[in-house]
Amino acid sequence: MTPPPRPTYTVIAQAAGVSEATVSRVLNGDESVHPDRARRVHEAVDSLGYRKNRVASALASGRSGLIAVVIDDDLSVFSDPFWGTVTSGVSRILSESGLHTVLMVSPVGLVDGGVAHYLKSGEVDGAIFFVLHSDALVNNLKKSGLPMVIAGTPHSSLDIPFVDTDNFGGAYAGTKHLINQGCEKIAIITGDIGTTAAKQRLDGYLQAFRETGKVPAKGLICEGDYSLASGMDHTRKLLEKHPDIDGIFASNDLMAAGAVTVLQDTGKLVPEDVKVVGFDDALIAQTTRPALTTIRQDVVALGEAAGTLMIAQLNGEDVQPIITTTELIIRGSA
Amino acid sequence: MTPPPRPTYTVIAQAAGVSEATVSRVLNGDESVHPDRARRVHEAVDSLGYRKNRVASALASGRSGLIAVVIDDDLSVFSDPFWGTVTSGVSRILSESGLHTVLMVSPVGLVDGGVAHYLKSGEVDGAIFFVLHSDALVNNLKKSGLPMVIAGTPHSSLDIPFVDTDNFGGAYAGTKHLINQGCEKIAIITGDIGTTAAKQRLDGYLQAFRETGKVPAKGLICEGDYSLASGMDHTRKLLEKHPDIDGIFASNDLMAAGAVTVLQDTGKLVPEDVKVVGFDDALIAQTTRPALTTIRQDVVALGEAAGTLMIAQLNGEDVQPIITTTELIIRGSA
DNA sequence: ACTACCCGCGAAACCGCTTTCACGAGGTCT
DNA sequence: AGACCTCGTGAAAGCGGTTTCGCGGGTAGT
């Protein structure tokens, strides 16, 4: 219960026989300190087990060493391990640069909500956003000069750095695969169309379709919301209206799994009668029967890219968007 | 790009015609300020759009308003949405008290690692631990007086507050269900036995077994690691050594799903030939075919309980461990 | 040899808020 | 009426670093 007193610059400075200013310089890697003195400081730091108080440091320097990861709170966020994985990638990269990750899960819609206040309050040195439904907040924050990175493609063409998976390319490849497998009537269950990722995947699907010279029949495009239930619902509806569909491209594996379940429940064989392709290559892709043919995205890489972009930005470097590639993983469902 | 200057106490104090000390009192809810002056301060705050600098506040008061959520980094952490869900529960509760969550995912084994340093550095007001493989770090930190909460039962009987699911009761109920369904040769695939949760679930299984008057045959107890792969591996091995098993209790749904997959691949029917019960009632429990009979735990409640305990502790209240109940969910697999 | 620089380093101000301390006004008690 | 409190309040001293500023000495230029 005894709060052990931690040494301060005063103590270190005395022990090393230098001024506090010099201690600060050494500890912040200022090259202009004489090596001998620097060594003395380091020795004092080591022997006294000194650790810098980051709060005081933050106050004095105006830099907190904290990066916020903001996830729009839509309950699905955590039911899908996707974001957790991205976050761990971000976190790892940031910690390599001595930065910490502050996770914020809350509704981000409001330009003026708690999150906005917090971010503007200067407690964090930067913010990384996931799952944006609107660019309003980001636009607003931009004025404050806060370094930001968006995971996912922004809606408007802001000059805010972003990282994203090649959604278009992935969806194109997935749909193309279905076509190559001989499917003729291919439906798509999209994600929440309010997200750019969902739109891009839809575009990829349309592009692949277009190249066949055909146009997807009305009603083959359903807007889901990335949930298992929506995958099931839409598949049911599709079967009613188009009993002859022979392919389904789902914008994520969860919905693909729902589709498979419903198809089988209605007596259809997968992949014999209807082929299904998912997206993500989430764990669930391997547990369905048959296992899902899907588009793998390198989720960890995505997180790392976001972290990298943030660091580059903090260093004042020029920053370009990063698009990570996808890969078609062929399993049993198509 | 212009960092908009934010007003400080000096400005507010002038505008309200009071001293900075009074501003501080008002903003920290000190009752002893005359209502009139308090009102003037509030008006000034509102009209000037003042927002307190939490860093300065933290330095001066010694309280940061940050709570660390420490997750032992074992890559499986994020492949299972479980922890993300708990975290969101924690986060929500804490934010209601004006506290923020700092997520730290890293190996916690070392008593002297980076995490330990960070926690000791006084940058956080408290720490919540998930998935502890050892109590060493926590024991060590305890000396520093840092308020802590452990999610999961501690190994040693420390007097550190913890929250946990009724692992024993859940496993007992699950195993009992298998027995009631007529299973006679029931195997268990445990989680990493280094965690108390895995041990408790094993104990629940053993207890249910014991009550039948029989003793589980050797080789019916396999130590898995909560991963899909380990569920599959152990099921394969079980089938080789004990082709006649008719029940499997898996310590989580992921392993249960792996078991179902392998069973079906080897031509066994679930639940006709072998019944399977999982634990968690994760999303995956609904996507396997047949869907999993499982033990549901209220994950969000667990997180909320952890947050609640932390807040109580910060308030100096007396704190008791919280054990959340489980529920048997019967689906197709058993 | 004299002035002009440059460099390493310490003194001190400062970051924005909290908290102790003491003071004066108004009340109470004898 | 005088001694003793209580209560609201402001002045000022920190919290533990960072950073500006300027000084003294060594180097260079002429």
Side-chain angles (χ1 to χ4, degrees):
Chain A
M1 232 37 222
T2 14
R6 299 203 301 139
T8 68
Y9 270 18
T10 313
V11 181
I12 303 297
Q14 280 186 345
V18 300
S19 72
E20 296 185 22
T22 298
V23 174
S24 177
R25 291 191 182 100
V26 172
L27 266 44
N28 290 315
D30 187 325
E31 299 288 330
S32 69
V33 177
H34 188 98
D36 281 359
R37 312 183 133 244
R39 191 178 42 69
R40 298 225 306 279
V41 171
H42 280 126
E43 285 172 3
V45 165
D46 289 347
S47 70
L48 276 66
Y50 173 79
R51 194 77 30 67
K52 181 149 71 180
N53 179 325
R54 303 185 100 224
V55 175
S57 170
L59 174 59
S61 70
R63 285 173 254 112
S64 67
L66 260 34
I67 301 294
V69 166
V70 186
I71 305 184
D72 202 348
D73 184 17
D74 152 346
L75 293 177
S76 75
V77 164
F78 268 119
S79 64
D80 188 336
F82 184 83
W83 300 109
T85 309
V86 179
T87 304
S88 78
V90 170
S91 183
R92 209 163 52 64
I93 289 291
L94 292 181
S95 69
E96 284 175 10
S97 292
L99 296 168
H100 286 283
T101 307
V102 181
L103 185 65
M104 312 190 64
V105 180
S106 66
V108 182
L110 284 59
V111 179
D112 199 46
V115 173
H117 282 326
Y118 181 69
L119 295 179
K120 283 186 196 162
S121 76
E123 285 178 69
V124 293
D125 293 345
I128 297 177
F129 294 85
F130 290 169
V131 203
L132 282 182
H133 283 261
S134 145
D135 288 344
L137 174 63
V138 177
N139 271 322
N140 186 276
L141 244 32
K142 193 167 159 44
K143 298 174 201 151
S144 73
L146 184 75
M148 296 182 283
V149 169
I150 298 177
T153 309
H155 299 261
S156 38
S157 56
L158 305 156
D159 48 350
I160 294 176
F162 67 90
V163 298
D164 206 349
T165 290
D166 182 8
N167 291 303
F168 178 88
Y172 174 82
T175 310
K176 196 81 182 177
H177 177 71
L178 285 171
I179 293 171
N180 291 343
Q181 295 295 305
C183 295
E184 303 219 315
K185 194 151 185 185
I186 306 171
I188 179 173
I189 304 176
T190 73
D192 176 349
I193 279 296
T195 64
T196 47
K199 277 191 222 123
Q200 293 170 333
R201 291 179 194 178
L202 173 57
D203 287 345
Y205 159 87
L206 291 173
Q207 174 65 23
F209 223 100
R210 206 172 291 130
E211 289 181 6
T212 66
K214 298 172 194 163
V215 177
K218 282 184 210 170
L220 286 183
I221 300 174
C222 318
E223 182 182 350
D225 63 5
Y226 289 129
S227 73
L228 179 67
S230 88
M232 297 176 70
D233 287 349
H234 285 297
T235 304
R236 266 187 220 105
K237 287 178 192 156
L238 278 169
L239 287 174
E240 281 175 24
K241 297 189 184 170
H242 306 272
D244 57 338
I245 55 172
D246 54 9
I248 296 181
F249 174 72
S251 284
N252 76 346
D253 288 341
L254 215 48
M255 295 193 295
V260 170
T261 302
V262 169
L263 286 169
Q264 293 174 336
D265 282 350
T266 29
K268 299 274 188 182
L269 292 176
V270 177
E272 292 79 359
D273 298 332
V274 181
K275 302 188 198 306
V276 177
V277 172
F279 202 114
D280 283 352
D281 193 20
L283 206 53
I284 198 178
Q286 299 175 50
T287 66
T288 58
R289 308 194 52 75
L292 292 177
T293 286
T294 186
I295 306 299
R296 172 181 298 168
Q297 52 175 331
D298 190 340
V299 185
V300 172
L302 195 66
E304 293 179 345
T308 305
L309 241 48
M310 175 53 70
I311 289 169
Q313 213 175 147
L314 291 174
N315 292 338
E317 293 167 21
D318 207 28
V319 170
Q320 295 300 319
I322 296 179
I323 304 292
T324 59
T325 59
T326 58
E327 181 187 359
L328 174 67
I329 303 294
I330 299 178
R331 297 208 182 83
S333 72
Chain B
M1 228 40 221
T2 14
R6 299 203 301 139
T8 68
Y9 271 18
T10 313
V11 181
I12 303 296
Q14 281 186 346
V18 300
S19 72
E20 297 186 21
T22 298
V23 174
S24 176
R25 292 193 182 97
V26 173
L27 266 45
N28 290 314
D30 186 325
E31 299 289 328
S32 70
V33 176
H34 188 98
D36 282 358
R37 312 185 132 237
R39 191 179 39 68
R40 298 227 304 278
V41 171
H42 280 126
E43 285 172 4
V45 166
D46 289 348
S47 70
L48 276 66
Y50 173 79
R51 200 91 33 65
K52 179 149 72 181
N53 179 325
R54 304 187 93 213
V55 175
S57 170
L59 176 58
S61 69
R63 287 173 254 111
S64 66
L66 259 36
I67 301 294
V69 166
V70 185
I71 305 185
D72 201 348
D73 183 18
D74 149 346
L75 292 177
S76 75
V77 163
F78 269 119
S79 64
D80 189 337
F82 184 82
W83 299 108
T85 310
V86 179
T87 304
S88 77
V90 170
S91 182
R92 208 164 52 63
I93 289 291
L94 291 181
S95 70
E96 283 174 11
S97 291
L99 296 168
H100 286 284
T101 306
V102 181
L103 185 66
M104 312 189 63
V105 179
S106 66
V108 183
L110 284 58
V111 179
D112 199 46
V115 174
H117 282 326
Y118 180 69
L119 295 180
K120 282 187 197 163
S121 77
E123 285 177 68
V124 294
D125 293 345
I128 297 176
F129 295 85
F130 289 169
V131 202
L132 280 182
H133 284 261
S134 145
D135 287 345
L137 174 63
V138 177
N139 270 322
N140 186 276
L141 244 32
K142 193 166 159 43
K143 298 175 201 151
S144 73
L146 183 75
M148 296 182 283
V149 170
I150 298 177
T153 309
H155 300 261
S156 38
S157 56
L158 304 156
D159 48 347
I160 295 176
F162 67 91
V163 299
D164 206 350
T165 290
D166 182 8
N167 291 302
F168 178 88
Y172 174 83
T175 310
K176 196 82 182 175
H177 177 71
L178 285 171
I179 293 170
N180 291 342
Q181 295 296 305
C183 295
E184 304 220 312
K185 194 153 186 185
I186 306 171
I188 178 173
I189 304 177
T190 73
D192 176 349
I193 278 297
T195 64
T196 47
K199 277 192 221 121
Q200 293 170 332
R201 291 180 194 179
L202 173 57
D203 287 345
Y205 159 86
L206 291 174
Q207 175 65 22
F209 225 99
R210 205 172 292 131
E211 289 182 5
T212 66
K214 301 172 194 161
V215 177
K218 282 183 213 170
L220 285 183
I221 300 175
C222 320
E223 181 181 350
D225 62 5
Y226 290 127
S227 74
L228 179 67
S230 89
M232 298 177 69
D233 287 349
H234 285 296
T235 304
R236 265 187 221 105
K237 288 178 193 156
L238 279 169
L239 288 174
E240 280 175 24
K241 296 188 184 172
H242 306 272
D244 57 337
I245 55 172
D246 54 8
I248 296 181
F249 173 72
S251 285
N252 76 346
D253 287 341
L254 215 48
M255 295 193 297
V260 170
T261 302
V262 169
L263 286 169
Q264 293 174 335
D265 283 350
T266 27
K268 298 274 187 182
L269 291 178
V270 177
E272 293 77 0
D273 299 333
V274 181
K275 301 191 197 306
V276 177
V277 171
F279 202 113
D280 284 352
D281 193 20
L283 203 54
I284 198 177
Q286 298 175 51
T287 65
T288 58
R289 306 196 52 74
L292 293 176
T293 286
T294 186
I295 305 300
R296 174 182 296 169
Q297 52 176 331
D298 190 340
V299 185
V300 173
L302 196 65
E304 293 179 345
T308 305
L309 242 46
M310 175 53 69
I311 289 168
Q313 213 174 147
L314 291 174
N315 291 338
E317 293 166 22
D318 208 28
V319 169
Q320 294 301 319
I322 297 178
I323 303 291
T324 58
T325 59
T326 58
E327 183 186 358
L328 174 67
I329 303 294
I330 299 178
R331 297 208 180 84
S333 72

